[in-house]
């Protein structure tokens, strides 16, 4: 299982990576493994400004649909268009080509409240 050190994690199994003033958001390697084969990603919030923990979309696997929660508040700038034709990218490369959205975090976004790699590992190993 992969736990990159350059991202922050949520208890709901999303990750966020800040690059300048833009952040990438996706689901963790653990989450994609637990879900199984991802067949559809639905992001309806592009262009919207949402608060931390609000639902920004859903991810569908063969037997269930799971909500996706925003790690910090901000504006959804873009969704990963490649997932429309290749949702399996989330399974193959959850921290790279399988990212879900790009967002502009609020100025007061609380990254310190998120988990680092060690804390996330401890969470899923409980």
């Amino acid at each position: 299982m992969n736990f990159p050190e350059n991202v922050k994690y949520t208890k709901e199994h999303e990750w966020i990576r800040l690059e300048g003033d833009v952040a990438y958001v996706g689901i963790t390697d653990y989450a994609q493994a637990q879900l199984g084969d991802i067949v559809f990603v639905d992001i309806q919030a592009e262009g919207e400004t949402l608060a931390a923990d609000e639902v920004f979309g859903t991810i569908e696997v063969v037997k269930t649909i799971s909500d996706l929660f925003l790690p910090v508040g901000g504006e959804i700038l873009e969704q990963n268009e490649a997932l429309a034709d290749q949702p399996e990218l989330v399974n193959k490369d959850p921290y790279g080509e399988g990212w879900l959205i790009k967002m502009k975090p609020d100025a007061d976004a609380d990254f310190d409240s998120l988990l680092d790699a060690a804390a996330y590992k401890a969470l899923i190993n409980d």
Side-chain angles (χ1 to χ4, degrees), residues 26-68:
I27 65 166
T28 65
D29 194 17
Y30 174 81
Q32 71 78 23
Q34 295 298 307
L35 286 169
D37 292 337
I38 294 166
V39 296
F40 188 68
V41 177
D42 185 24
I43 310 291
Q44 296 291 324
E46 191 170 343
E48 293 182 30
T49 299
L50 302 174
D53 300 323
E54 280 196 82
V55 174
F56 68 88
T58 58
I59 200 158
E60 186 175 335
V61 295
V62 176
K63 295 186 180 187
T64 191
I65 296 175
S66 297
D67 287 337
L68 298 165

Side-chain angles (χ1 to χ4, degrees), residues 7-10 12-17 23-29 31 56 59 68-69 71 83 90 93-96 98-102:
V7 303
K8 293 284 201 164
Y9 301 87
T10 70
E12 290 78 31
H13 311 290
E14 283 84 18
W15 59 262
I16 186 166
R17 180 179 66 240
Y24 288 79
V25 176
I27 65 166
T28 65
D29 194 17
F56 68 88
I59 200 158
L68 298 165
F69 298 95
L83 300 181
V90 178
D93 190 11
Y95 301 106
W99 60 272
L100 301 175
I101 60 168
K102 282 185 195 177

Side-chain angles (χ1 to χ4, degrees), residues 41-42 56 72 74 82 88 97 108-109:
V41 177
D42 185 24
F56 68 88
V72 297
E88 67 276 6
E97 291 184 25
D108 63 352

